[in-house]
Amino acid sequence: MHENSSGSENLHNIISIDYNANFFFDRAVKSLDRYQYEKALKYFRKAVEYEPDNPVNHCNMAGILSETGDYKGSNQVLQHILEHVDASMTECYFYMANNYANMESFEEAEKALITYLEEDPSGQFMDEAEEMMELLHYELNRPTKVNKIKSREGMVEHEHARKLLEEGKFAQAVKLLEEIVADCPDFMSARNNLALAYYYMGRFAKAKESIQGVLDVEPGNLHALCNLAIFFQHENNEEELSMLVDMLSVTVPFHQEHVFKLATTMGILGKHEAAYGHFRRLLKDEEFSSDASLYHYTAAAACNSGRMDAAAKYWRHCRKLDPTNDVPDFYLAQLGPLQNSGAESMKVSYHYHLPFEEQFKAWEHHGEAMTEEAKHNPLIRSSFFWALRHGEPHIKLQVIQTLELIADEEVQHALQLFLQEPGEDAELKDAARLVLMRLEGHSGGHSDRDNSAQHRGILPEWHDDWQQVLNTVFQCMDKRSDPFRKREIGNLWSAFLSRIYPNIPKMRNIPGWAAALDYTAAKIRGGSSTYEQMAERYGISSSTVRRYARQMDVMRADPEDNRSDFRPFTEKV
């Protein structure tokens, strides 16, 4: 009896084994650690039996088959995963490409690799895929043709848009960036640069909306926070700006691009001490130590924060790195007398070019050479377009006169947009009109139809009802206005549609919109037209003219002026 009792107790102490997928998975991993591939394969197959819908176990089985040289069997498993288990496991195509390459089936390897690149959203094996493309190029004696790389979707287009921004081609950049963001809403760099593009065009509400969209997804996105700080400064929103600057002031970025963004932002905000610290940190990096422009930025921050000797040192080094540039010599010449007089600081622009007054002096002495440089130097062109929007009146006049020397399509577009800016000085607009008329005369002139077609590039498409509004205005203007006036009306209409895009209403009342356009153009020009006069001209009621003209008030609202001399930098990927 005692022995039976003891045996019964021992039976109660036995722990039953729960045979499930995890059990066999653990056994398989232990076998792999001991290089027992046959055992590991057997255990992974058992795991698949218990969980046939788990793609991980299938992948592990395919991996072991590949490891043991059964490339064909491995590919059969991988194909089964894609067809019957989980089609989203696009990395299987990369594994299959490896197997085909090991089988020396290079054509099949290429097909699988192309499918991986075109369908995989994460790009987990991008480096390995690029190495395999080099191998296939060698084996097949031709490059691998890939139509698109899904994990890098939008990156080439984004780089092009970023260059357009830096060249001052804001309307083109907006159009391209809007397309990128529509296709890739998680592309935060594109959304940040779209906000900057809106900002440069004066579409401040859209700029903030775009930045807020980034921060809703990534509250700590440094580029977005820096851009938001600049927008707050533009709005004179002191309370919000102060809180944000306090946060940015204690931020120490790790990535060099973030350091550069924060440094430039602090310079724009007038926090020159902080900007100086960040720029000096960048100079310690070998990657940036030969960048002459960075030495100028550091010198400017030093000068603006009262470090005159340090500023002189950095400008001397800038001159050594870039001996043909006049910028360091100009500021060193300015700095000498100030140091002798005991001045504590000097306000210096962070832009790495001569102040506009000095550029124009250089133009007087070296006009042809300077014109050629401006035609091909994006930084100079960009600075001119920026000054046209934000410079002092006398600077704007000089820019307008200088742009006539450059005389290309981008210049004409910039001047046309300038004419639509509310609140600009009438004499400046007259000067811009005169330059435009001369440029149009040199190019042989355009018909009204050509003029309206030129504006369409600002918008992603041009609807028939929009053109009908223009045609209605032109018909009423035929006997009372010159061709240039029609072009001005076309520019105004295009600018209005661009500013409210994509929330453009259906143009059901063509005469109403035409009257509103005519009325708004007259007011911007300084005319004395009334609702009643427009109502009589277009055969509608004065209340209808008033209703539609109010919707066009966006063209006559005085924007706040931003005099910052240092533009926010675009974000790279």
Side-chain angles (χ1 to χ4, degrees), residues 351-367:
H351 270 310
Y352 187 46
H353 54 61
L354 291 175
F356 283 107
E357 290 86 347
E358 297 302 316
Q359 290 190 46
F360 294 129
K361 288 179 185 177
W363 228 288
E364 292 174 2
H365 291 91
H366 312 286

Side-chain angles (χ1 to χ4, degrees), residues 157-213:
E157 295 86 348
H158 176 256
E159 181 62 20
H160 178 50
R162 199 174 63 81
K163 288 180 179 177
L164 288 173
L165 269 179
E166 293 177 352
E167 292 169 9
K169 300 176 181 178
F170 307 132
Q172 295 177 47
V174 163
K175 181 181 175 182
L176 183 53
L177 287 166
E178 285 180 337
E179 292 173 357
I180 296 171
V181 169
D183 292 337
C184 311
D186 295 332
F187 199 160
M188 296 303 157
S189 296
R191 292 174 72 169
N192 275 328
N193 285 332
L194 178 58
L196 286 180
Y198 284 140
Y199 172 74
Y200 296 152
M201 293 182 70
R203 300 170 68 179
F204 304 118
K206 293 288 289 182
K208 283 189 69 176
E209 178 185 329
S210 184
I211 285 299
Q212 195 56 55

Side-chain angles (χ1 to χ4, degrees), residues 380-405:
I380 293 178
R381 292 171 62 87
S382 173
S383 66
F384 279 148
F385 295 144
W386 182 254
L388 187 61
R389 284 189 69 89
H390 304 294
E392 297 293 338
H394 72 284
I395 292 292
K396 290 183 179 182
L397 180 59
Q398 289 177 308
V399 168
I400 290 168
Q401 294 167 343
T402 303
L403 289 177
E404 184 176 2
L405 300 175

Side-chain angles (χ1 to χ4, degrees), residues 439-455:
L439 296 181
E440 288 160 9
H442 291 318
S443 61
H446 303 276
S447 68
D448 293 336
R449 188 172 184 82
D450 292 334
N451 292 343
S452 62
Q454 185 178 5
H455 310 314

Side-chain angles (χ1 to χ4, degrees), residues 248-496:
L248 292 175
S249 296
V250 296
T251 300
V252 183
F254 176 75
H255 295 292
Q256 298 297 64
E257 184 191 344
H258 289 167
V259 178
F260 190 68
K261 177 68 176 183
L262 188 56
T264 57
T265 301
M266 288 302 186
I268 293 170
L269 299 176
K271 306 298 180 183
H272 304 299
E273 284 280 347
Y276 179 65
H278 292 305
F279 282 132
R280 287 190 66 204
R281 181 181 165 193
L282 286 171
L283 288 177
K284 295 176 183 177
D285 192 311
E286 290 184 4
E287 182 182 348
F288 294 92
S289 60
S290 60
D291 186 346
S293 62
L294 183 57
Y295 279 91
H296 167 72
Y297 302 148
T298 312
C303 198
N304 290 333
S305 58
R307 296 176 171 86
M308 311 291 262
D309 292 340
K313 179 184 73 172
Y314 290 123
W315 270 315
R316 283 194 292 269
H317 199 86
C318 177
R319 180 175 57 189
K320 182 179 178 182
L321 293 173
D322 191 6
T324 62
N325 197 306
D326 294 332
V327 170
D329 282 331
F330 170 78
Y331 283 113
L332 284 169
Q334 298 278 313
L335 201 59
L338 285 172
Q339 287 178 298
N340 294 334
S341 66
E344 295 183 358
S345 66
M346 175 176 71
K347 181 68 172 69
V348 173
S349 168
Y350 284 85
H351 270 310
Y352 187 46
H353 54 61
L354 291 175
F356 283 107
E357 290 86 347
E358 297 302 316
Q359 290 190 46
F360 294 129
K361 288 179 185 177
W363 228 288
E364 292 174 2
H365 291 91
H366 312 286
E368 187 174 340
M370 290 292 289
T371 299
E372 284 305 308
E373 184 179 2
K375 285 181 177 180
H376 305 293
N377 187 325
L379 182 60
I380 293 178
R381 292 171 62 87
S382 173
S383 66
F384 279 148
F385 295 144
W386 182 254
L388 187 61
R389 284 189 69 89
H390 304 294
E392 297 293 338
H394 72 284
I395 292 292
K396 290 183 179 182
L397 180 59
Q398 289 177 308
V399 168
I400 290 168
Q401 294 167 343
T402 303
L403 289 177
E404 184 176 2
L405 300 175
I406 301 174
D408 59 20
E409 185 177 343
E410 189 68 26
V411 164
Q412 291 190 44
H413 180 64
L415 291 173
Q416 287 159 1
L417 289 180
F418 177 77
L419 289 176
Q420 310 315 321
E421 283 298 318
E424 285 291 358
D425 184 82
E427 291 185 6
L428 291 177
K429 287 192 173 183
D430 287 341
R433 287 190 190 95
L434 182 60
V435 169
L436 270 174
M437 290 176 70
R438 287 173 180 163
L439 296 181
E440 288 160 9
H442 291 318
S443 61
H446 303 276
S447 68
D448 293 336
R449 188 172 184 82
D450 292 334
N451 292 343
S452 62
Q454 185 178 5
H455 310 314
R456 299 178 192 182
I458 301 172
L459 297 153
E461 54 186 338
W462 187 265
H463 293 288
D464 289 341
D465 52 351
W466 302 349
Q467 186 63 40
Q468 288 177 33
V469 172
L470 265 185
N471 291 342
T472 302
V473 178
F474 291 161
Q475 288 169 7
C476 290
M477 294 173 59
D478 276 343
K479 295 180 181 179
R480 59 187 181 85
S481 295
D482 56 40
F484 187 80
R485 175 72 172 138
K486 292 183 179 181
R487 171 178 282 273
E488 198 171 35
I489 289 285
N491 289 336
L492 173 62
W493 185 233
S494 176
F496 166 68

